[in-house]
């Protein structure tokens, strides 16, 4: 019995030996290995930086959706110079598209800064997507989405001219279908003190992106109205005391003899090909031609408008000094 007791004691002593009896098999060293680099704060679930990044991504997605919706009937100005000029002039816009990986210069930087200052969405898009948005135009990595133009009513145009403190000076276009000519006329009208431009509803260019670009942004501050019937509107304005003059190669007087310039006036510009339509011409109080050197058939419609408007402005300045 005693022997058995000793053996059991020996076993108890062996069982209480300090330290591991069996090896760890390397598990302990494996447990000390790192789990890779620490994730960025914006990638950690629940971290404030991640919530901020998610909110920014959601805002960008919302901006893209709104820009897509507003772009259904919008126009896009393409090219670095046109875009930055429109932004400088305060042309209303809903989105600035910037091609991913664009070779940025000072025009790109200024465009992004101006758009940001005005709260215009700045959206990075693939170059192929920008090609589609601009319909294949030479965009140079920049496109500016311009919403549909908000036209005035002819009555509003007349009232603004009458309330301007100056003799009303309005410009009407008859059959001008080139948006570049329209933009140039708008620019001349602004430069020489006109208070607004009138377009016919049919057979006329509208304020598209091309017209915006040519106007160099002056369309943002020049009211433009659309008349359902141009002849009827001109007659209505005539009944309010405005004189109607039309630019015509076979006119009764030249711009050198334009005595009506200092009073309330509407200058009507016809198309390059056929000039003034018959009904509009019959509505005019006078038709006016521009003296030119022999051998020159006619001037571009927008150039002719600029020449006559400059003469009107000159005569008004002279009359104001007398």
């Amino acid at each position: 019995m005693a022997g058995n007791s000793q053996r059991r004691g020996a076993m108890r002593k062996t069982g209480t030996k300090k330290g591991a009896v069996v090896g760890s098999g390397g598990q302990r060293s494996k447990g000390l290995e790192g789990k890779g680099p620490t994730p960025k704060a914006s990638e950690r679930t629940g971290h404030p930086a991640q919530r901020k990044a998610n909110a920014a991504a959601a805002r960008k997605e919302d901006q893209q959706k709104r820009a897509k919706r507003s772009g259904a009937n919008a126009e896009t100005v393409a090219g670095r110079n046109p875009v930055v000029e429109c932004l400088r002039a305060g042309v209303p816009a809903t989105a600035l598209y910037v091609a991913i990986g664009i070779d940025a210069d000072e025009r790109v930087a200024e465009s992004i800064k101006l758009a940001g200052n005005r709260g215009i969405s700045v959206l990075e898009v693939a170059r192929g997507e920008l090609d589609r948005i601009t319909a294949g135009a030479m965009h140079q990595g920049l496109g500016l989405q311009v919403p549909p133009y908000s036209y005035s009513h002819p009555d509003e145009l007349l009232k603004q001219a009458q309330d301007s403190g100056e003799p009303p000076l309005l410009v009407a276009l008859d059959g001008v279908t080139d948006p570049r000519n329209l933009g140039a006329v708008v620019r001349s009208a602004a430069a020489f003190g006109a208070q607004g431009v009138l377009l016919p509803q049919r057979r006329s260019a509208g304020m598209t992106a091309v017209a915006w670009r040519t106007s160099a942004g002056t369309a943002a501050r020049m009211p433009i109205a659309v008349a359902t019937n141009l002849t009827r509107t001109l007659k209505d304005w005539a009944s309010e005391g405005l004189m109607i003059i039309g630019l015509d190669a076979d006119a009764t007087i030249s711009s050198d003899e334009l005595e009506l310039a200092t009073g309330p006036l509407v200058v009507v510009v016809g198309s390059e090909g056929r000039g003034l339509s018959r009904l509009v011409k019959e509505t005019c109080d006078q038709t006016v031609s521009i003296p030119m050197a022999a051998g020159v058939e006619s001037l571009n419609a927008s150039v002719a408008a600029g020449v006559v408007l400059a003469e009107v402005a000159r005569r008004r300045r002279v009359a104001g000094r007398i």
Side-chain angles (χ1 to χ4, degrees):
M1 292 294 292
N4 292 336
S5 174
Q6 289 176 352
R7 284 193 294 271
R8 286 196 297 269
M11 290 174 65
R12 286 196 296 271
K13 184 176 181 181
T14 302
T16 58
K17 183 180 179 180
K18 293 182 179 181
V21 176
V22 182
S24 66
Q27 296 300 318
R28 184 173 298 175
S29 61
K30 288 182 180 179
L32 297 177
E33 291 179 1
K35 297 181 179 180
T38 303
K40 296 179 181 179
S42 60
E43 297 174 355
R44 298 182 208 168
T45 303
H47 195 284
Q50 188 192 54
R51 292 196 294 269
K52 185 177 180 181
N54 290 343
R59 284 196 301 271
K60 183 175 181 180
E61 184 179 359
D62 181 61
Q63 287 176 340
Q64 289 174 332
K65 288 180 179 178
R66 285 190 283 108
K68 188 174 181 180
R69 287 195 300 267
S70 65
N73 297 310
E75 291 282 336
T76 304
V77 177
R80 299 189 182 192
N81 281 334
V83 166
V84 75
E85 286 171 4
C86 286
L87 287 169
R88 286 170 183 167
V91 171
T94 53
L96 173 66
Y97 295 105
V98 183
I100 296 173
I102 186 174
D103 181 17
D105 61 10
E106 66 278 1
R107 294 168 297 178
V108 174
E110 184 179 357
S111 296
I112 294 173
K113 180 179 178 181
L114 290 172
N117 290 343
R118 291 177 50 194
I120 298 170
S121 300
V122 179
L123 306 175
E124 280 193 300
V125 296
R127 186 168 290 273
E129 176 66 7
L130 190 52
D131 290 339
R132 184 192 66 78
I133 292 170
T134 59
M138 187 68 69
H139 52 70
Q140 300 172 301
L142 280 187
L144 185 68
Q145 189 179 84
V146 179
Y149 188 82
S150 179
Y151 294 98
S152 300
H153 189 277
D155 294 344
E156 295 174 348
L157 206 64
L158 176 62
K159 188 175 188 310
Q160 289 176 5
Q162 292 172 329
D163 295 344
S164 66
E166 300 289 337
L169 175 59
L170 298 169
V171 180
L173 303 186
D174 178 23
V176 175
T177 57
D178 187 338
R180 290 168 295 185
N181 271 336
L182 169 57
V185 169
V186 170
R187 191 171 184 174
S188 294
F192 298 117
Q195 293 103 5
V197 175
L198 179 68
L199 310 177
Q201 191 173 61
R202 299 176 56 196
R203 294 188 297 276
S204 174
M207 284 308 302
T208 62
V210 174
W212 271 113
R213 173 179 174 175
T214 311
S215 76
T218 55
R221 55 182 181 274
M222 173 61 60
I224 301 173
V226 174
T228 305
N229 186 302
L230 180 60
T231 303
R232 186 186 306 133
T233 300
L234 292 175
K235 289 180 178 179
D236 290 342
W237 286 359
S239 68
E240 292 289 332
L242 278 69
M243 302 300 289
I244 316 295
I245 66 167
L247 306 191
D248 187 68
D250 301 320
T252 53
I253 65 168
S254 73
S255 56
D256 293 342
E257 307 165 294
L258 187 53
E259 301 297 334
L260 295 176
T262 55
L265 193 65
V266 181
V267 177
V268 187
V269 183
S271 66
E272 289 185 50
R274 59 187 182 87
L276 299 173
S277 61
R278 180 181 60 82
L279 292 177
V280 168
K281 189 172 182 179
E282 291 173 356
T283 306
C284 294
D285 296 294
Q286 280 185 342
T287 53
V288 181
S289 63
I290 299 172
M292 294 188 297
V296 180
E297 292 184 4
S298 64
L299 293 174
N300 173 284
S302 59
V303 173
V307 170
V308 172
L309 288 171
E311 176 62 16
V312 171
R314 185 192 70 80
R315 285 177 175 267
R316 290 187 172 196
R317 287 194 304 270
V318 171
R321 291 197 294 265
I322 296 175

